[in-house]
Amino acid sequence: MYVRPAAAAAAAFLGFTLTLLGGTASYAATGPGSTTGSAALGSPVVYAHRGASAYAPENTLEAVDLAMRLGFDWVENDVQRTKDGELVVIHDDTLARTTDVEELFPDRKPWKVQDFTAAEIARLDAGSWFGEEYAGAFVPTLREYLDRVQRNQQRLLLEIKKPELYPGIEEQTLKVLGEAGWLDERRVTQRLVVQSFSADCVRIVHRLRPDLVTAFLGTPTVADLPRYAEFTDRINPWHTTISADWVAAVHGLLGAHGKAMEVDTWIVDDAATARKVQAMGVDGIITNAPDVVQEAVGGF
């Protein structure tokens, strides 16, 4: 595994903590039968956004491994679909920003994920754009990603990206999760959350697997929150759009599993903002720099 210098220093600093913990840091369980409990503990759960993406190329196995090395067991990813129906882990609906697709396929503009086969995407370098030391990192399939997260004994916040582009992706995502062993009771209740910016997508996932924890990405008005509570457990907003009163309004509702709804906010990468949203009472913070945020909100 490649480690950038800044991340290596952070990992060295945290090494004694990881030894005491026996490996990957563990945070409170989450799921229909239990909540994160982070508000009560005073320290929000920290999610490594696209892996430890401040220090490694986003959504790669390298970023997942680095999050684990830094002591974070919750990782977030993005799922889209290829031309031949394979689910892959990548944020943008185009390949241009995070791969060398323009060099390998110069005549295929605008380089949409859905216009390339899985085999073609497998040829791409998804690491060099971030740093030469990551040359050769690749765009993982969802199954490859799940296997790595499981190997690392991590937990997954999975985002279904732009479902309007990929009809049926909800069913397909659940199928891959099931085939990879991620829909057993332990993972469903403690180690997996499925989220989307599309309320329809979240609603479909809840209908297909009502035992799954789901989250809606956005900031509904307080008046609209009860509608979302019918099919989701969490509301995950951009941090600039919320207040303590709004967070309290979410917490005041029971979600789809009869538990108090939760709030995981994004993207927070600095200590001051992390402490600000912690004071608002959020349950979780989604961040590219999990080490920075964890230190700000209470440490390991």
Side-chain angles (χ1 to χ4, degrees), residues 4 14 26 31 43 77 84 103 127 147 167 183 232 242:
R4 289 172 71 82
L14 292 170
S26 296
S43 181
N77 74 343
D84 54 341
E103 297 176 21
D147 288 348
L183 294 182
T232 194
I242 62 174

Side-chain angles (χ1 to χ4, degrees):
M1 181 186 70
Y2 298 103
V3 181
R4 289 172 71 82
F13 177 77
L14 292 170
F16 74 96
T17 303
L18 298 180
T19 300
L20 290 174
L21 290 171
T24 302
S26 296
Y27 300 102
T30 205
S34 62
T35 63
T36 60
S38 56
L41 294 172
S43 181
V45 175
V46 177
Y47 298 84
H49 182 241
R50 308 178 200 168
S53 57
Y55 312 119
E58 64 184 58
N59 278 322
T60 61
L61 302 184
E62 287 80 358
V64 171
D65 288 345
L66 184 51
M68 183 268 291
R69 286 278 301 275
L70 290 172
F72 295 92
D73 62 351
W74 274 108
V75 293
E76 185 267 358
N77 74 343
D78 305 283
V79 176
Q80 305 207 45
R81 190 165 65 203
T82 67
K83 182 179 182 179
D84 54 341
E86 184 78 51
L87 296 182
V88 291
V89 177
I90 188 169
H91 176 268
D92 299 0
D93 63 356
T94 75
L95 297 155
R97 181 175 63 86
T98 58
T99 77
D100 60 349
V101 68
E102 294 184 45
E103 297 176 21
L104 265 64
F105 300 99
D107 301 324
R108 302 275 293 276
K109 192 175 181 178
W111 303 290
K112 294 281 189 180
V113 174
Q114 63 183 349
D115 292 336
F116 286 78
T117 66
E120 290 171 333
I121 291 175
R123 294 173 52 192
L124 303 177
D125 181 337
S128 292
W129 69 274
F130 190 88
E132 292 182 1
E133 66 270 41
Y134 288 105
F138 58 88
V139 176
T141 65
L142 177 57
R143 182 57 189 264
E144 289 169 333
Y145 193 95
L146 292 171
D147 288 348
R148 182 60 59 92
V149 173
Q150 174 57 23
R151 190 195 76 173
N152 292 348
Q153 298 183 31
Q154 292 167 297
R155 311 182 195 205
L156 180 60
L157 175 59
L158 183 155
E159 180 182 345
I160 298 177
K161 205 74 182 175
K162 298 194 174 181
E164 66 276 8
L165 298 178
Y166 313 110
I169 193 173
E170 298 88 357
E171 293 92 337
Q172 186 178 3
T173 299
L174 292 173
K175 183 174 184 292
V176 175
L177 285 166
E179 291 171 348
W182 273 82
L183 294 182
D184 64 7
E185 183 178 358
R186 185 175 69 91
R187 290 184 182 87
V188 164
T189 58
Q190 299 182 8
R191 311 189 72 84
L192 177 65
V193 178
V194 177
Q195 64 177 359
S196 180
F197 282 97
S198 165
D200 288 340
C201 174
V202 178
R203 191 180 289 107
I204 290 170
V205 171
H206 176 66
R207 174 175 57 80
L208 293 172
R209 285 297 304 234
D211 53 336
L212 265 178
V213 179
T214 58
F216 172 72
L217 285 159
T219 314
T221 65
V222 170
D224 284 339
L225 286 173
R227 223 167 27 90
Y228 290 85
E230 295 175 2
F231 60 86
T232 194
D233 306 282
R234 304 180 181 188
I235 305 294
N236 293 354
W238 187 26
H239 72 88
T240 65
T241 65
I242 62 174
S243 65
D245 288 343
W246 185 89
V247 173
V250 177
H251 287 161
L253 292 171
L254 299 182
H257 290 103
K259 304 291 183 179
M261 295 186 75
E262 299 185 13
V263 176
D264 300 327
T265 191
W266 48 273
I267 301 294
V268 176
D269 289 341
D270 66 279
T273 305
R275 287 190 288 266
K276 178 181 178 181
V277 297
Q278 180 183 25
M280 292 180 188
V282 301
D283 302 281
I285 299 175
I286 303 168
T287 172
N288 299 313
D291 53 338
V292 173
V293 170
Q294 186 65 53
E295 182 177 1
V297 299
F300 288 103

